[in-house]
PDB file of all heavy atoms in Angstrom:
ATOM      1  N   ALA Z   4       0.378   8.459   1.269  1.00  0.00           N
ATOM      2  CA  ALA Z   4       0.479   9.799   0.685  1.00  0.00           C
ATOM      3  C   ALA Z   4       1.753  10.475   1.182  1.00  0.00           C
ATOM      4  O   ALA Z   4       2.258  10.149   2.247  1.00  0.00           O
ATOM      5  CB  ALA Z   4      -0.738  10.617   1.085  1.00  0.00           C
ATOM      6  N   LYS Z  48       5.533  35.719   7.332  1.00  0.00           N
ATOM      7  CA  LYS Z  48       6.514  36.233   6.361  1.00  0.00           C
ATOM      8  C   LYS Z  48       6.937  35.145   5.379  1.00  0.00           C
ATOM      9  O   LYS Z  48       7.073  35.390   4.181  1.00  0.00           O
ATOM     10  CB  LYS Z  48       7.752  36.767   7.098  1.00  0.00           C
ATOM     11  CG  LYS Z  48       7.586  38.163   7.672  1.00  0.00           C
ATOM     12  CD  LYS Z  48       8.877  38.604   8.346  1.00  0.00           C
ATOM     13  CE  LYS Z  48       8.715  39.971   9.002  1.00  0.00           C
ATOM     14  NZ  LYS Z  48       9.841  40.285   9.894  1.00  0.00           N
ATOM     15  N   VAL Z  50       5.275  32.446   4.466  1.00  0.00           N
ATOM     16  CA  VAL Z  50       4.181  32.132   3.540  1.00  0.00           C
ATOM     17  C   VAL Z  50       4.062  33.241   2.494  1.00  0.00           C
ATOM     18  O   VAL Z  50       3.928  32.975   1.287  1.00  0.00           O
ATOM     19  CB  VAL Z  50       2.854  31.956   4.312  1.00  0.00           C
ATOM     20  CG1 VAL Z  50       1.703  31.713   3.334  1.00  0.00           C
ATOM     21  CG2 VAL Z  50       2.957  30.797   5.302  1.00  0.00           C
ATOM     22  N   HIS Z  85      -9.907  28.664  20.292  1.00  0.00           N
ATOM     23  CA  HIS Z  85      -9.780  29.953  20.970  1.00  0.00           C
ATOM     24  C   HIS Z  85      -8.747  29.814  22.089  1.00  0.00           C
ATOM     25  O   HIS Z  85      -8.683  28.779  22.759  1.00  0.00           O
ATOM     26  CB  HIS Z  85     -11.115  30.385  21.610  1.00  0.00           C
ATOM     27  CG  HIS Z  85     -12.240  30.570  20.651  1.00  0.00           C
ATOM     28  ND1 HIS Z  85     -12.144  31.383  19.534  1.00  0.00           N
ATOM     29  CD2 HIS Z  85     -13.500  30.060  20.633  1.00  0.00           C
ATOM     30  CE1 HIS Z  85     -13.301  31.368  18.889  1.00  0.00           C
ATOM     31  NE2 HIS Z  85     -14.135  30.565  19.521  1.00  0.00           N
ATOM     32  N   VAL Z 111       0.697  45.470  37.369  1.00  0.00           N
ATOM     33  CA  VAL Z 111       1.611  45.905  36.301  1.00  0.00           C
ATOM     34  C   VAL Z 111       2.452  47.084  36.792  1.00  0.00           C
ATOM     35  O   VAL Z 111       3.678  47.123  36.604  1.00  0.00           O
ATOM     36  CB  VAL Z 111       0.819  46.280  35.029  1.00  0.00           C
ATOM     37  CG1 VAL Z 111       1.729  46.952  34.006  1.00  0.00           C
ATOM     38  CG2 VAL Z 111       0.172  45.039  34.417  1.00  0.00           C
ATOM     39  N   SER Z 118       6.778  41.470  30.631  1.00  0.00           N
ATOM     40  CA  SER Z 118       6.997  41.018  29.260  1.00  0.00           C
ATOM     41  C   SER Z 118       5.688  40.572  28.623  1.00  0.00           C
ATOM     42  O   SER Z 118       4.828  39.992  29.283  1.00  0.00           O
ATOM     43  CB  SER Z 118       8.008  39.869  29.215  1.00  0.00           C
ATOM     44  OG  SER Z 118       8.333  39.549  27.880  1.00  0.00           O
ATOM     45  N   ILE Z 179       8.101  28.446  36.630  1.00  0.00           N
ATOM     46  CA  ILE Z 179       7.172  29.576  36.750  1.00  0.00           C
ATOM     47  C   ILE Z 179       5.938  29.126  37.531  1.00  0.00           C
ATOM     48  O   ILE Z 179       5.695  27.932  37.715  1.00  0.00           O
ATOM     49  CB  ILE Z 179       6.717  30.133  35.384  1.00  0.00           C
ATOM     50  CG1 ILE Z 179       5.837  29.104  34.635  1.00  0.00           C
ATOM     51  CG2 ILE Z 179       7.909  30.550  34.538  1.00  0.00           C
ATOM     52  CD1 ILE Z 179       5.155  29.668  33.393  1.00  0.00           C
ATOM     53  N   PRO Z 187     -12.351  38.531  33.232  1.00  0.00           N
ATOM     54  CA  PRO Z 187     -13.201  38.617  32.028  1.00  0.00           C
ATOM     55  C   PRO Z 187     -13.259  40.003  31.392  1.00  0.00           C
ATOM     56  O   PRO Z 187     -13.306  40.114  30.163  1.00  0.00           O
ATOM     57  CB  PRO Z 187     -14.576  38.178  32.540  1.00  0.00           C
ATOM     58  CG  PRO Z 187     -14.277  37.273  33.695  1.00  0.00           C
ATOM     59  CD  PRO Z 187     -13.039  37.817  34.338  1.00  0.00           C
ATOM     60  N   LYS Z 227      -7.371  20.419  27.322  1.00  0.00           N
ATOM     61  CA  LYS Z 227      -6.199  19.999  28.109  1.00  0.00           C
ATOM     62  C   LYS Z 227      -5.051  21.003  27.976  1.00  0.00           C
ATOM     63  O   LYS Z 227      -4.253  21.180  28.893  1.00  0.00           O
ATOM     64  CB  LYS Z 227      -5.753  18.602  27.633  1.00  0.00           C
ATOM     65  CG  LYS Z 227      -4.754  17.934  28.557  1.00  0.00           C
ATOM     66  CD  LYS Z 227      -4.627  16.457  28.239  1.00  0.00           C
ATOM     67  CE  LYS Z 227      -3.744  16.237  27.022  1.00  0.00           C
ATOM     68  NZ  LYS Z 227      -3.569  14.826  26.697  1.00  0.00           N
TER      69      LYS Z 227
END
Side-chain angles (χ1 to χ4, degrees):
K48 280 181 183 168
V50 177
H85 299 307
V111 170
S118 187
I179 67 170
K227 193 165 79 179

